[in-house]
Amino acid sequence: MLKHRKKSKAKNRRPSASWNARTTQSNSIVNQIFWVIRRLSPSWQACIPLACLIVLGWSYVAVAQTPAPAGPTTAELKVALDTLWVAIAAFLVIFMNAGFCMLETGLCRQKNAVNVLAKNLIVFALATVAFWAIGFGFMFGDGNDFIGLNGFFLQGADNSPATGDAYKGVFSALSWTGVPLSAKFLFQLAFAGTAATIVSGAVAERVKFVDFLIFSLLLVGISYALTGHWIWGGGWLADRGFWDFAGSTVVHSVGGWAALMGAALLGPRLGKYQDGQTVAIPGHNMSIATLGCLILWLGWFGFNPGSVMAADPDAITHIALTTNMAGAVGGIAATITAWLYLGKPDLSMVINGILAGLVAVTAPCAYITIGSSFFIGLIAGVLVVFAVTLFDRIKIDDPVGAISVHLVCGVWGTLAVGLFAVGPGVYPWYAEGLGPARGLFAGGGIGQLITQFLGVISVGGMTVLLSTVFWLALKATLGIRVSREEEIEGLDIGEHGMEAYSGFLKEAEASGFTEPSSPKGMSQPGDLPTSL
């Protein structure tokens, strides 16, 4: 045991001896270096730190000269920035669906709130599928002057974001914007969903839910896409020099024409017109209607400035200012007009006046001065008040005023291009071939105004034709109107089996007016009650 312990101690001593030897050798080398330095003259000793700095500097330069990974080019950064702006604008337009939900629900009766909300919610989902499957191809796919014939399901050649002559694909109509195809589709989808949503308010409180869903699919997939191809898809109206920057005709008038035919074929709500008089059926919640208006106003800053489809600061801010001015003046004009004409500053007219100004400026917003947008909004605000009362006189029942706002003021805004356009060369984004000729009030004659009128008539005629066919086919097969009992009880119960305000005080069941003898479009027979 003792012998073993002695061996262990010997082993432990061996590494220590080796370490001491190496340490001694290192110290010896250091001492030799210092001995050599001390033998140098003071001048050479002073050069040693300088030599060390030079060596370190050469080493840094050698590392710095190693090629660094290449960063994005200016062109790539522009594509990224443009795409970000287009995406944000699309999100704002999609959020307008919340505005339509609030606006239409507030202007309709409590017993139909769930139905109106459900229609506005599902319509964008349906528009997404229909536009992806066939609508985008019909509207923007390469084809002929009448309709696109390529790009269904977003299939086909495409090298976006290449533009102009560098673009090689089946969506040549959108080759002017340098963003990816997915960004182009997303932005245009937001517009297509808006057109279908416009119809919802005009046919509210008496249309069958399933018929509205089918009609929305047909409108977005066929009718909207067809007329849109004529203007934005490089079709025959575009060849004739028709201009609609952000959709007074392409979106709003198309939705308005479709809504007009739906409201006419459905007939008025029970009790709306009696003994030659119009009976007011007020909305149940003006608070959420006002909120809806404000959401739509915000969304319009994606609708109009977003249509630049590029992060052009001059164009975006100018269009935002013309858009806001027209909406503001439209609301003021409608307030004053309603006050003088109807005796009271009706809140629903204030709301519709703001929307009327926004709709009207949508077509010319990039081509006009801010002063011109003032007059466009002013006329729109006056027009919408008289349009609402006119449709009541001819017994077209529109619970939310959608036809007056989107159709009447959409037509006015389209014609305003031919009146107020300043002409190419005034603004950097508005060069020759990128906008309309000078308008009548800018000294350009009536040429552009005639072209705009041709577009209004052509798009209106085709939309009326196709919408009438769709509505009549649905009426003949499924019946487009709910039964009398369902309309009286409310579509929330009859169509959805639920209430929006379960447990809250219900609106009065009787209002003292009698029903018309035979409302048009009624799908089921039954005895009419004497009151609601």
Side-chain angles (χ1 to χ4, degrees), residues 447-459:
Q448 188 64 51
L449 182 60
I450 292 173
T451 302
Q452 297 300 114
F453 182 75
L454 174 64
V456 168
I457 296 300
S458 302
V459 172

Side-chain angles (χ1 to χ4, degrees), residues 148-188:
L149 300 172
N150 290 284
F152 304 111
F153 297 97
L154 283 184
Q155 299 300 306
D158 180 81
N159 68 335
S160 299
T163 60
D165 295 335
Y167 177 78
K168 306 297 179 185
V170 298
F171 302 105
S172 300
L174 290 173
S175 63
W176 57 271
T177 175
V179 296
L181 177 62
S182 55
K184 299 175 184 178
F185 173 77
L186 178 67
F187 188 71
Q188 295 299 332

Side-chain angles (χ1 to χ4, degrees), residues 404-420:
S404 302
V405 170
H406 297 280
L407 173 55
V408 174
C409 295
V411 169
W412 158 236
T414 304
L415 297 177
V417 173
L419 296 173
F420 295 99

Side-chain angles (χ1 to χ4, degrees), residues 314-440:
D314 291 331
I316 289 171
T317 51
H318 178 83
I319 293 167
L321 288 176
T322 57
T323 298
N324 188 71
M325 179 62 73
V329 176
I332 295 170
T335 302
I336 296 172
T337 304
W339 208 335
L340 297 175
Y341 181 53
L342 304 176
K344 295 289 183 181
D346 189 314
L347 176 57
S348 65
M349 290 297 183
V350 179
I351 291 171
N352 282 336
I354 292 170
L355 300 180
L358 295 169
V359 168
V361 81
T362 297
C365 57
Y367 314 129
I368 59 173
T369 65
I370 297 176
S372 296
S373 69
F374 178 97
F375 290 106
I376 291 171
L378 177 68
I379 296 172
V382 175
L383 274 177
V384 75
V385 175
F386 289 101
V388 168
T389 56
L390 172 64
F391 285 116
D392 271 337
R393 286 197 188 98
I394 62 176
K395 294 183 171 50
I396 300 293
D397 184 16
D398 179 1
V400 303
I403 301 170
S404 302
V405 170
H406 297 280
L407 173 55
V408 174
C409 295
V411 169
W412 158 236
T414 304
L415 297 177
V417 173
L419 296 173
F420 295 99
V422 296
V426 176
Y427 300 125
W429 62 89
Y430 180 9
E432 191 70 39
L434 299 180
R438 189 176 301 173
L440 177 62

Side-chain angles (χ1 to χ4, degrees), residues 64-132:
Q65 288 179 344
T66 303
T73 64
T74 303
E76 290 171 338
L77 288 173
K78 184 180 186 310
V79 170
L81 192 59
D82 290 347
T83 303
L84 178 63
W85 166 243
V86 171
I88 291 172
F91 301 153
L92 283 171
V93 178
I94 292 171
F95 187 59
M96 290 173 74
N97 287 282
F100 282 115
C101 276
M102 298 295 97
L103 177 68
E104 295 178 16
T105 303
L107 293 177
C108 291
R109 287 171 290 184
Q110 173 184 319
K111 62 184 181 181
N112 299 311
V114 168
N115 181 256
V116 175
L117 290 169
K119 287 189 300 178
N120 279 276
L121 186 61
I122 197 64
V123 71
F124 185 71
L126 293 170
T128 298
V129 175
F131 202 60
W132 166 70

